[in-house]
Amino acid sequence: MTFITFIALLLIAAGIGYIIKHIFRVDLPMPRYLTGVFIVLVGVHFLIIQLEEDKEDESKWVWFTHSNFAHHITGENEYSVVFGESTIDLSETQLADSLPKVTISVVFGHAEVYLPDSIPYRIINNIAFGSTNGNGPNNSGLGDFSSESDNFNPNRNHLTIEADVAFGGLTWR
């Protein structure tokens, strides 16, 4: 989280506190409220820094922003979208000798995934209070769901896409 984002969130929280205090006539001690908000934002800041240090080179993380990724299989890859939005283009993916796997995690965000037309794939959705829709499987709520492309054969090489969606959305294109 950048310094500007930190200050913006602090000012937004102060404004919300001011509105609650004066419009709803709630006895909200502003110094204590702002101190609490400051401590929470510092904690979130340190959490984001720690998580970004832990990510691997092959991982693509999106935090509070929008990012576009064009994917080419280079082993096992992971895309994570947390409080953000991402476009992941798998349409140019080529199959190697091994079974490639792509993991997409969406938490309180949205991802748009472009599926390949020319290669077989299997999609495994793990959903917790989220949804997937579009040209791929359309699922929502809770549960594990799977679907395959029209040219899928489990005995032949294929792309496996595992999508974990929690309180977010994923659109297949």
Side-chain angles (χ1 to χ4, degrees), residues 34-47:
L34 290 177
T35 302
V37 168
F38 178 77
I39 291 170
V40 168
L41 289 177
V42 168
V44 168
H45 176 73
F46 287 137
L47 177 66

Side-chain angles (χ1 to χ4, degrees), residues 16 18-27:
I16 291 170
Y18 184 79
I19 289 170
I20 290 171
K21 183 174 184 172
H22 291 287
I23 291 181
F24 298 112
R25 307 231 189 278
V26 175
D27 185 26

Side-chain angles (χ1 to χ4, degrees), residues 93-133:
T93 300
Q94 301 294 320
L95 290 178
D97 294 332
S98 62
L99 291 174
K101 179 180 177 184
V102 173
T103 303
I104 301 169
S105 301
V106 180
V107 181
F108 291 106
H110 182 263
E112 188 170 287
V113 180
Y114 289 87
L115 297 170
D117 292 330
S118 59
I119 65 170
Y121 58 84
R122 169 182 277 161
I123 298 173
I124 302 167
N125 287 324
N126 304 308
I127 301 174
F129 302 108
S131 66
T132 63
N133 58 45

Side-chain angles (χ1 to χ4, degrees), residues 33-104:
Y33 171 76
L34 290 177
T35 302
V37 168
F38 178 77
I39 291 170
V40 168
L41 289 177
V42 168
V44 168
H45 176 73
F46 287 137
L47 177 66
I48 290 172
I49 288 173
Q50 183 63 37
L51 289 173
E52 286 183 354
E53 288 176 1
D54 290 344
K55 67 183 178 182
E56 300 175 19
D57 292 335
E58 290 297 320
S59 296
K60 282 72 173 181
W61 290 66
V62 177
W63 294 90
F64 299 102
T65 61
H66 176 82
S67 294
N68 296 323
F69 299 110
H71 176 77
H72 300 287
I73 295 293
T74 57
E76 184 170 77
N77 290 283
E78 180 179 341
Y79 298 89
S80 297
V81 181
V82 181
F83 293 107
E85 187 174 345
S86 182
T87 301
I88 303 165
D89 188 358
L90 302 176
S91 63
E92 299 298 320
T93 300
Q94 301 294 320
L95 290 178
D97 294 332
S98 62
L99 291 174
K101 179 180 177 184
V102 173
T103 303
I104 301 169

